[in-house]
Amino acid sequence: MAVIFNSDHKAMAERSVLCWLATADEGGQPNVSPKEVFAVVDDEHIVVANIASPGSAKNIHINGKVCLSFIDVFAQKGFKVYGVARDVKPSETEYFRWAEPLRMMVGDRFPIHSVFLVRATAVEPIIAPSYRLYPSETTEASQVQAALCTYGVRRESSNV
């Protein structure tokens, strides 16, 4: 098994409230949709619960190439995962293995119709242009402060 996800990737994914799954339909039309129930299960696999995603499921059946994005909107950085996805149904013997971490997260709150199993092939950073254009004056702290001001929100003191 290849090691694709390092500890930083895993930590950011665990902190993320949403990830964004990009798929494409039979005509190549991209589609991006938010997913709130997901888990990094090992060094190369992410599982995403199919709770209300018939479009994503259809697209994955047509074309398994996907991209998942995880972004800290305050720090304005994250990472994207390129990979190949399969839609694992409850009727398949391996379903329970992949669904277990998701079921532990949601309990009975959401029905999990299937699991999108993504085998990562590459991971790339996502960073706001300011980090590249103004490297001497752009820090994660300055980006967070600017975002808090822009959004008009405050972080709890334990999260600063």
Side-chain angles (χ1 to χ4, degrees):
M1 176 169 32
V3 175
I4 301 290
F5 302 119
N6 64 34
S7 59
D8 291 340
H9 298 132
K10 292 175 183 177
M12 175 169 266
E14 286 178 13
R15 287 191 317 268
S16 296
V17 175
L18 293 174
C19 70
W20 298 88
L21 176 65
T23 61
D25 67 15
E26 66 276 356
Q29 180 63 47
N31 181 64
V32 177
S33 61
K35 306 300 180 203
E36 67 178 300
V37 180
F38 53 87
V40 177
V41 291
D42 59 33
D43 289 342
E44 68 174 340
H45 292 96
I46 295 177
V47 289
V48 179
N50 174 3
I51 294 169
S53 303
S56 294
K58 180 180 176 186
N59 289 350
I60 287 169
H61 285 282
I62 293 166
N63 178 358
K65 290 184 179 179
V66 299
C67 182
L68 280 165
S69 296
F70 298 84
I71 300 170
D72 179 327
V73 296
F74 295 106
Q76 299 175 43
K77 59 171 51 173
F79 67 96
K80 58 184 166 183
V81 177
Y82 294 105
V84 179
R86 286 191 311 116
D87 187 16
V88 182
K89 306 274 191 211
S91 59
E92 297 177 53
T93 55
E94 64 184 312
Y95 171 82
F96 291 99
R97 171 187 175 211
W98 298 115
E100 185 58 25
L102 305 174
R103 291 180 39 221
M104 289 173 45
M105 295 166 73
V106 300
D108 294 334
R109 183 171 170 82
F110 297 113
I112 298 177
H113 302 291
S114 65
V115 173
F116 302 140
L117 173 62
V118 179
R119 183 183 51 78
T121 56
V123 176
E124 292 182 5
I126 297 173
I127 62 170
S130 298
Y131 287 104
R132 289 190 179 111
L133 296 173
Y134 306 102
S136 63
E137 61 190 70
T138 303
T139 65
E140 194 168 304
S142 70
Q143 291 294 91
V144 168
Q145 191 56 46
L148 292 173
C149 184
T150 298
Y151 298 133
V153 296
R154 292 183 309 136
R155 280 189 163 178
E156 292 180 14
S157 60
S158 63
N159 292 336
V160 175

